[in-house]
Amino acid sequence: MGTPAEDLVETLQYSDATVATAESLTGGRLAARITNVPGSSGVFVGGVVSYWTDVKVDVLGVARETVDEHGVVSAECAREMAEGVRRLMGTTYGLSTTGVAGPQRQEDEPVGTVFIGIAGPDRAEAVPLDLSGDRFTIQEASVDEAVSALADMIALDIQGSEDSALG
């Protein structure tokens, strides 16, 4: 076993799957973590760093109503970001990060409020995180959690396809 990112790339390769990222608070760190792994070029298609709300809406396709009703620091926004980058890049999976790295609150949400969005062929979900630490620590922990969340979804997808092949 390697690092979580190495294991993720290996799992994507095994599954003949691809991924794209949509990042806000992590500012490209998630894409960098994945692309630091040798062989990632076979599974990582690309990413969008969407720091501004208009990029989330105009490029990733997050509904303006979602932003107005829930904000960009929300499970709903994270899910739509992941679905949007998956659609935009034509990948098997989309992975997103949105939240508050600090130093001040955003949308009345405290520093450390983070949402990871994961979209796959059959479903999309969001993972809420309540992190602590400085800006760098929160960003790095968000990347760790995103890699882990995608690995978990792929493992469930692999298990589901193996179960259906047996049944």
Side-chain angles (χ1 to χ4, degrees):
M1 288 191 65
T3 68
E6 289 168 342
D7 293 345
L8 174 62
V9 167
E10 185 177 302
T11 301
L12 286 162
Q13 291 167 335
Y14 170 81
S15 304
D16 197 27
T18 55
V19 66
T21 56
E23 301 181 65
S24 188
L25 87 147
T26 51
R29 280 186 164 93
L30 179 55
R33 179 80 58 89
I34 295 169
T35 60
N36 280 337
V37 176
S40 61
S41 60
V43 297
F44 182 80
V45 173
V48 175
V49 176
S50 57
Y51 237 51
W52 282 22
T53 300
D54 287 348
V55 176
K56 291 173 181 70
V57 173
D58 297 339
V59 176
L60 294 174
V62 173
R64 180 62 67 183
E65 297 77 27
T66 298
V67 173
D68 293 344
E69 188 174 330
H70 303 284
V72 296
V73 181
S74 67
E76 293 81 4
C77 184
R79 200 169 25 254
E80 288 185 31
M81 287 171 65
E83 291 170 326
V85 79
R86 179 177 181 262
R87 186 173 48 251
L88 181 67
M89 302 282 184
T91 55
T92 315
Y93 295 96
L95 186 58
S96 71
T97 60
T98 187
V100 187
Q104 66 269 357
R105 297 171 77 89
Q106 182 182 345
E107 295 179 343
D108 205 34
E109 293 292 341
V111 172
T113 301
V114 175
F115 295 91
I116 306 298
I118 316 111
D122 302 317
R123 67 191 178 289
E125 52 193 55
V127 178
L129 304 174
D130 181 14
L131 303 172
S132 60
D134 63 14
R135 187 174 177 76
F136 176 81
T137 302
I138 290 169
Q139 290 171 324
E140 287 297 305
S142 297
V143 170
D144 293 342
E145 293 290 342
V147 167
S148 174
L150 178 56
D152 290 348
M153 178 179 272
I154 296 170
L156 287 172
D157 288 348
I158 291 170
Q159 183 63 45
S161 65
E162 288 173 355
D163 288 349
S164 12
L166 295 174

